[in-house]
Amino acid sequence: MSGDAWKEGGIDATGALMVLTLKVISCAINYSDGLLKEEGLRDAQKKYRLAKLPSLVEYFGYCLCCGSHFAGPVYEMKDYLDWTERKGIWAGSTPSPLLPTLRALVQAGICMSLYLYLSPRFPLSRFSEPLYYEWGFWHRLFFQYMSGFTARWKYYFIWSVSEASVIISGLGFTGWSDSSPPKAKWERAINVDILGVELAGSAVQLPLKWNIQVSTWLRYYVYERLIQKGKKPGFLQLLGTQTVSAIWHGLYPGYMIFFVQSALMINGSRVIYRWQQAVSNSVLHTILTLLNFAYTMMVLNYSCIGFQVLSFQETLASYKSVYYVGTIVPILCVLLGYVIKPARPVKPKARKAE
């Protein structure tokens, strides 16, 4: 329950404890998967299962590895063991990490500069001031957008620093690209795609661009394990995953509201995306593409107010100030998805054998 410290710009041990929680859980589940037969396991389970119990030194080394201990990124025990023992992709010569590390550090400097410039101009305290409620609807909605935009640069900064530390250790190396000549990839260290978040064309893309390694963890250890065998995933699996994420962040109403909102946001965006894919008219397709982008930016920055202010009263007051537009629009999109169903593409008939 340290959200108040984070809300005011403070930093404490809970960031490290959040990362540690994910590592402990994934390590335990991977060892549990290692006791099962491979038949019936998903690809991720087969890839990361542990055939034997790690030693205490290996376990504590993985949990407390200094490069990622404070803010992530989260990675798998199997990758950590291969890195320390120089196995797998680390068995041969590995590329120099200096240039990718420098790039991450420059990115961190830019992110912190932007945050320090913007945060005094769009303070969170404004949501509880009478001035905010004197503004018109569009002014309040713009402030919500800028508030969310400003807050994200703080996270971009710390993840860029963590990315630099994981890259320079060598652990961030994930192999070589298929291009000619091949280029080194450092994807294990990347926790955010800044342009991917800020220019996301659909809310569905956000988990793939923001806190990437935690999103991957949630997919492997929560979302996929909530899907019953032989059935397709739906809204309940998404809602369950987002609820786990909310509890992991902390027992504040603002977190719970934000993650329930984000499940709604993603579902609504999926509906618009299905409409996009169904239309053949290029003008209409462009309009729907722009609509999905505007929808994503509006609902994301509306929703993330709860993540920032945390309290139930402040969250509802800020939502009410813009007439709950970021809640109503996703619900309308989902309901319209049941009414306006895009036609399925016609499958070509199989040719009869001559």
Side-chain angles (χ1 to χ4, degrees), residues 159-224:
W159 285 333
S160 297
V161 172
S162 295
E163 182 182 335
S165 66
V166 174
I167 288 174
I168 204 165
S169 71
L171 176 59
F173 180 58
T174 51
W176 300 89
S177 69
D178 297 327
S179 60
S180 182
K183 294 180 180 179
K185 296 189 292 184
W186 304 90
E187 292 168 357
R188 190 174 292 102
I190 297 172
N191 218 13
V192 68
D193 175 355
I194 296 173
L195 289 178
V197 172
E198 299 304 332
L199 301 175
S202 165
V204 180
Q205 297 172 6
L206 290 173
L208 307 175
K209 309 293 183 182
W210 170 270
N211 210 351
I212 295 168
Q213 306 306 334
V214 170
S215 295
T216 303
W217 188 97
L218 286 166
R219 184 170 78 249
Y220 288 162
Y221 298 102
V222 183
Y223 184 76
E224 289 183 356

Side-chain angles (χ1 to χ4, degrees), residues 68-93:
S68 67
H69 180 57
F70 180 67
V74 178
Y75 43 83
E76 299 291 343
M77 168 64 100
K78 197 162 189 304
D79 289 335
Y80 173 80
L81 292 176
D82 285 349
W83 171 60
T84 56
E85 296 169 9
R86 308 296 293 177
K87 292 180 180 177
I89 58 173
W90 293 278
S93 59

Side-chain angles (χ1 to χ4, degrees), residues 274-290:
R274 285 198 295 270
W275 294 339
Q276 280 176 247
Q277 299 305 106
V279 297
S280 55
N281 184 293
S282 59
V283 175
L284 189 55
H285 186 274
T286 303
I287 291 170
L288 285 170
T289 301
L290 292 172

